[in-house]
Amino acid sequence: MKIAIDARIINTSTGRYIDRLLEYLQQIDTDNEYVVLLRADDFDRWQPTNPNFTKAVADYPPYTFREQIQFAWLLYRLQPDLVHFTGPQQPLLYFGKKTTSILDLTLVNFVNKRQEGPLKNFYKHTIKPLVFKVLVRRVIRSSDQLITITNFVRQQVVSSYKADPQKVTTTYLAGEPPSTKITPIPKLKGKKFILYVGNAFPYKNLGALIDAFAVAKLKDYQLVLAGKPDFFYGELAEYVQQRDISSVYFAGFVSDEELAWLYQNAELYVFPSLSEGFGLPGLEAMSYGLPVASSTATCLPEVYGDAAVYFDPEDINEMAKVIKTTLADKKLLAKLKTAGPKRAGQFNWKRTAEQTLKVYQQALKSE
């Protein structure tokens, strides 16, 4: 069978899912023929290791007319038996067999607002979210099989979009193994700090984390926020400055080696998010033995289980209390340091690939 995999978002924040899925599919499947569809900028970055895997340029930006018309035409010319769309961004004019991954529904419920011109604001904050909601509904109804990455998202798809439960399969993701290559961040050497890693979109709830840190009054601790500088991180920096909140350190973009050092040297990882599809950063923190304090929102308790402590992300005082009491409880910290790596070890990418291959087989058998 010929299977096309849409890897156009392999170089985005959710691209690791695609990259690892391709890596392990190449290890376990020597029977099917695969065509991996890539943007032009990514074409030379990804190289197949299995002779059954080839690649093709699909340089069509998501949510554009080019995607709807030209991408559909490319797929018809390739004539795959099945297409795996790794997100809802796909041509509605393609009517062949398909499997779609729904990684999360955060963007259905949250809009990452930033102030621009009135027309841009209207398009981005009103029109685009509406189009996205309609697209997600159409995609869920038209896919032969659906893949979600937690049971929480699976339940959302089934209950909110009336998807047939028999057509929706959960394939958990996995964290990366701890790195032995580290690069210290000079400004943080010898200091105690709690850590957050990721982007600063509003649903990540970092403003509440900063407030909770201030309320907790953690003497001798810093709050370290690591993520690529952007509009939203800029807003947070202004917020900290205006309220004169001390000991908040914006690390900006960090290399893999610096990230490993942060995980190894932080006292606590805090994940205050209001919505997630999986929550990989917390799981990776656990793999380093770093204790995790997490929001109770959406899928996070499902992924972290008993290996984390939890707080209501909309209650700043509760968040502050959980952070402060956890740091003060040596027995609890020791328990979390032991439980974290065990929990992280329960997830692996090979199993993700094996489960995905079974979904492909189910989709190919469907009428």
Side-chain angles (χ1 to χ4, degrees), residues 140-180:
I140 287 174
R141 289 179 177 177
S142 63
S143 295
D144 295 277
Q145 290 286 323
L146 295 161
I147 293 172
T148 58
I149 54 176
T150 55
N151 286 324
F152 181 90
V153 177
R154 181 181 185 276
Q155 184 57 40
Q156 282 185 304
V157 170
V158 171
S159 60
S160 299
Y161 294 91
K162 312 303 179 188
D164 180 355
Q166 300 299 317
K167 291 173 54 178
V168 190
T169 301
T170 296
T171 66
Y172 287 119
L173 308 187
E176 298 300 297
S179 175
T180 56

Side-chain angles (χ1 to χ4, degrees), residues 95-126:
F95 301 107
K97 281 187 179 294
K98 64 181 180 181
T99 291
T100 299
S101 292
I102 305 294
L103 303 186
D104 67 70
L105 293 170
T106 296
L107 295 182
V108 172
N109 302 312
F110 293 88
V111 178
N112 295 319
K113 292 186 177 181
R114 55 185 296 176
Q115 292 304 312
E116 297 177 285
L119 287 178
K120 273 192 175 182
N121 283 337
F122 179 69
Y123 170 71
K124 287 187 175 181
H125 303 160
T126 304

